[in-house]
């Protein structure tokens, strides 16, 4: 998510602000520190409730043409808050899956490899594989699907056995948004 978000911020609006990449990196690292510090920072119900709003804000801002976007300071604040929320959910759910201390080396190694693979995808694969900036919509879609999938696998979650429960509705909504490619060209303007 961080490479896709940073690439999008750099390509769409940071021409006058060359150091705009610092904000997503700082928010990403802050959420990582908060989620892996102690279990009290990530309140699952709060952040999972805010996730659809955050994804909606990111999708809305991404679909606006540059002339229709609000003031740059408001855009930066909205992007920052929404990005921080998405990072807290991803890091919080990842932290909840933390194994026994004797397996932590492999666990953190896999997290590092995943980050490296994501960076390679955004920097090297996506420019040649896609004719537009699809990496942020893909990352947003995965950020909507993965928490629903993790909650579905958790035995005590109340919506687990409902076919039309909230996780299923979330997955259907994200898939429908991803399949609607008529607005993808706006992500690149």
């Amino acid at each position: 998510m961080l490479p896709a978000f940073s690439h999008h911020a750099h390509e769409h609006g940071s021409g006058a602000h060359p150091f705009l990449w610092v904000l997503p990196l700082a928010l990403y690292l802050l959420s990582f520190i908060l989620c892996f510090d102690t279990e009290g920072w990530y309140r699952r119900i709060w952040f999972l409730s805010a996730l659809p709003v955050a994804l909606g804000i990111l999708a809305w801002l991404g679909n606006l043409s540059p002339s229709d976007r609000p003031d740059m300071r408001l855009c930066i604040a909205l992007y920052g808050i929404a990005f921080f929320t998405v990072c807290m959910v991803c890091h919080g759910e990842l932290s909840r899956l933390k194994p026994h201390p004797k397996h932590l080396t492999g666990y953190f190694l896999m997290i590092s490899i995943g980050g490296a693979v994501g960076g390679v995808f955004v920097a090297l694969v996506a420019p040649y594989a896609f004719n537009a900036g699809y990496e942020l919509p893909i990352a947003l879609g995965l950020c909507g699907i993965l928490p629903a999938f993790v909650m579905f696998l958790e035995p005590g979650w109340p919506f687990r056995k409902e076919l039309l429960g909230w996780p299923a509705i979330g997955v259907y909504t994200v898939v429908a948004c991803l399949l609607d490619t008529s607005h993808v060209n706006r992500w690149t303007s």
Side-chain angles (χ1 to χ4, degrees), residues 12-124:
H12 308 289
S14 69
H17 306 284
F19 293 109
L20 194 58
W21 60 269
V22 173
L23 179 65
L25 178 62
L27 294 173
Y28 178 88
L29 292 174
L30 177 64
S31 70
F32 190 87
I33 290 167
L34 291 176
C35 288
F36 283 92
D37 177 37
T38 62
E39 294 183 20
W41 289 106
Y42 175 64
R43 304 281 183 185
R44 189 177 203 194
I45 194 72
W46 294 354
F47 283 102
L48 286 177
S49 299
L51 181 65
V53 175
L55 292 175
I57 288 171
L58 291 172
W60 173 69
L61 287 172
N63 279 328
L64 291 176
S65 67
S67 62
D68 293 337
R69 288 186 188 132
D71 179 53
M72 178 63 99
R73 289 176 292 210
L74 180 61
C75 279
I76 291 171
L78 289 174
Y79 269 124
I81 292 168
F83 181 69
F84 180 74
T85 303
V86 170
C87 286
M88 282 297 287
V89 169
C90 292
H91 288 145
E93 292 300 320
L94 192 60
S95 175
R96 289 174 54 84
L97 298 173
K98 193 166 29 173
H100 186 271
K102 92 176 181 184
H103 300 291
L104 283 179
T105 303
Y107 171 76
F108 284 113
L109 179 65
M110 291 297 116
I111 290 174
S112 300
I113 290 171
V117 168
V120 166
F121 176 77
V122 169
L124 301 176

Side-chain angles (χ1 to χ4, degrees), residues 44-45 48 150-152 154-161 166-167:
R44 189 177 203 194
I45 194 72
L48 286 177
V150 170
M151 289 184 295
F152 183 76
E154 190 170 308
W157 194 253
F159 300 114
R160 184 174 195 277
K161 296 184 181 183
W166 290 112

Side-chain angles (χ1 to χ4, degrees), residues 112-171:
S112 300
I113 290 171
V117 168
V120 166
F121 176 77
V122 169
L124 301 176
V125 176
Y128 297 104
F130 304 132
N131 60 356
Y134 292 107
E135 57 269 10
L136 186 60
I138 289 171
L140 292 177
L142 289 175
C143 285
I145 291 171
L146 288 176
F149 182 71
V150 170
M151 289 184 295
F152 183 76
L153 293 178
E154 190 170 308
W157 194 253
F159 300 114
R160 184 174 195 277
K161 296 184 181 183
E162 294 181 20
L163 179 61
L164 294 176
W166 290 112
I169 291 171
V171 169

